[in-house]
mmCIF file of all heavy atoms in Angstrom:
data_model
loop_
_atom_site.group_PDB
_atom_site.id
_atom_site.type_symbol
_atom_site.label_atom_id
_atom_site.label_comp_id
_atom_site.label_asym_id
_atom_site.label_seq_id
_atom_site.Cartn_x
_atom_site.Cartn_y
_atom_site.Cartn_z
ATOM 1 N N ILE A 101 13.111 -3.883 10.111
ATOM 2 C CA ILE A 101 12.187 -4.365 9.023
ATOM 3 C C ILE A 101 11.185 -3.290 8.571
ATOM 4 O O ILE A 101 10.899 -3.180 7.362
ATOM 5 C CB ILE A 101 11.472 -5.653 9.447
ATOM 6 C CG1 ILE A 101 10.742 -6.262 8.282
ATOM 7 C CG2 ILE A 101 10.591 -5.493 10.646
ATOM 8 C CD1 ILE A 101 10.741 -7.801 8.274
ATOM 9 N N ALA A 102 10.800 -2.402 9.490
ATOM 10 C CA ALA A 102 9.870 -1.339 9.064
ATOM 11 C C ALA A 102 10.548 -0.364 8.095
ATOM 12 O O ALA A 102 9.971 -0.109 7.034
ATOM 13 C CB ALA A 102 9.312 -0.605 10.278
ATOM 14 N N PRO A 103 11.705 0.221 8.455
ATOM 15 C CA PRO A 103 12.360 1.117 7.483
ATOM 16 C C PRO A 103 12.643 0.427 6.119
ATOM 17 O O PRO A 103 12.514 1.048 5.057
ATOM 18 C CB PRO A 103 13.639 1.604 8.151
ATOM 19 C CG PRO A 103 13.737 0.899 9.428
ATOM 20 C CD PRO A 103 12.410 0.279 9.712
ATOM 21 N N ILE A 104 13.036 -0.876 6.149
ATOM 22 C CA ILE A 104 13.281 -1.547 4.913
ATOM 23 C C ILE A 104 12.037 -1.726 4.107
ATOM 24 O O ILE A 104 12.015 -1.480 2.898
ATOM 25 C CB ILE A 104 13.896 -2.972 5.198
ATOM 26 C CG1 ILE A 104 15.306 -2.892 5.757
ATOM 27 C CG2 ILE A 104 13.941 -3.839 3.929
ATOM 28 C CD1 ILE A 104 15.922 -4.209 6.285
ATOM 29 N N SER A 105 10.900 -2.000 4.792
ATOM 30 C CA SER A 105 9.586 -2.140 4.054
ATOM 31 C C SER A 105 9.211 -0.810 3.475
ATOM 32 O O SER A 105 8.708 -0.729 2.382
ATOM 33 C CB SER A 105 8.532 -2.640 5.028
ATOM 34 O OG SER A 105 8.958 -3.802 5.699
ATOM 35 N N GLU A 106 9.372 0.294 4.254
ATOM 36 C CA GLU A 106 9.022 1.629 3.761
ATOM 37 C C GLU A 106 9.894 1.969 2.554
ATOM 38 O O GLU A 106 9.422 2.577 1.563
ATOM 39 C CB GLU A 106 9.269 2.692 4.866
ATOM 40 C CG GLU A 106 8.286 2.587 5.994
ATOM 41 C CD GLU A 106 8.750 3.266 7.291
ATOM 42 O OE1 GLU A 106 9.723 4.021 7.234
ATOM 43 O OE2 GLU A 106 8.129 3.021 8.366
ATOM 44 N N LEU A 107 11.195 1.578 2.609
ATOM 45 C CA LEU A 107 12.062 1.802 1.493
ATOM 46 C C LEU A 107 11.624 1.085 0.230
ATOM 47 O O LEU A 107 11.755 1.581 -0.870
ATOM 48 C CB LEU A 107 13.530 1.354 1.851
ATOM 49 C CG LEU A 107 14.643 2.133 1.295
ATOM 50 C CD1 LEU A 107 14.533 3.627 1.628
ATOM 51 C CD2 LEU A 107 15.977 1.589 1.794
ATOM 52 N N LEU A 108 11.099 -0.176 0.435
ATOM 53 C CA LEU A 108 10.581 -0.918 -0.732
ATOM 54 C C LEU A 108 9.457 -0.154 -1.409
ATOM 55 O O LEU A 108 9.436 -0.030 -2.643
ATOM 56 C CB LEU A 108 10.116 -2.301 -0.295
ATOM 57 C CG LEU A 108 11.193 -3.229 0.244
ATOM 58 C CD1 LEU A 108 10.567 -4.661 0.587
ATOM 59 C CD2 LEU A 108 12.366 -3.490 -0.722
ATOM 60 N N VAL A 109 8.548 0.417 -0.567
ATOM 61 C CA VAL A 109 7.402 1.206 -1.085
ATOM 62 C C VAL A 109 7.999 2.369 -1.905
ATOM 63 O O VAL A 109 7.562 2.679 -2.982
ATOM 64 C CB VAL A 109 6.458 1.635 0.059
ATOM 65 C CG1 VAL A 109 5.435 2.603 -0.516
ATOM 66 C CG2 VAL A 109 5.811 0.446 0.695
ATOM 67 N N LEU A 110 8.963 3.044 -1.230
ATOM 68 C CA LEU A 110 9.513 4.270 -1.859
ATOM 69 C C LEU A 110 10.231 3.944 -3.167
ATOM 70 O O LEU A 110 10.042 4.665 -4.182
ATOM 71 C CB LEU A 110 10.515 4.954 -0.889
ATOM 72 C CG LEU A 110 11.242 6.189 -1.403
ATOM 73 C CD1 LEU A 110 10.240 7.252 -1.730
ATOM 74 C CD2 LEU A 110 12.234 6.676 -0.402
ATOM 75 N N ILE A 111 11.022 2.849 -3.181
ATOM 76 C CA ILE A 111 11.717 2.498 -4.482
ATOM 77 C C ILE A 111 10.700 2.188 -5.542
ATOM 78 O O ILE A 111 10.848 2.578 -6.693
ATOM 79 C CB ILE A 111 12.713 1.288 -4.202
ATOM 80 C CG1 ILE A 111 13.787 1.734 -3.258
ATOM 81 C CG2 ILE A 111 13.313 0.845 -5.506
ATOM 82 C CD1 ILE A 111 14.640 0.569 -2.714
ATOM 83 N N GLY A 112 9.599 1.498 -5.125
ATOM 84 C CA GLY A 112 8.510 1.197 -6.073
ATOM 85 C C GLY A 112 7.913 2.510 -6.618
ATOM 86 O O GLY A 112 7.701 2.596 -7.831
#
Side-chain angles (χ1 to χ4, degrees):
I101 189 146
I104 290 172
S105 307
E106 290 161 13
L107 212 57
L108 295 183
V109 173
L110 177 63
I111 295 168

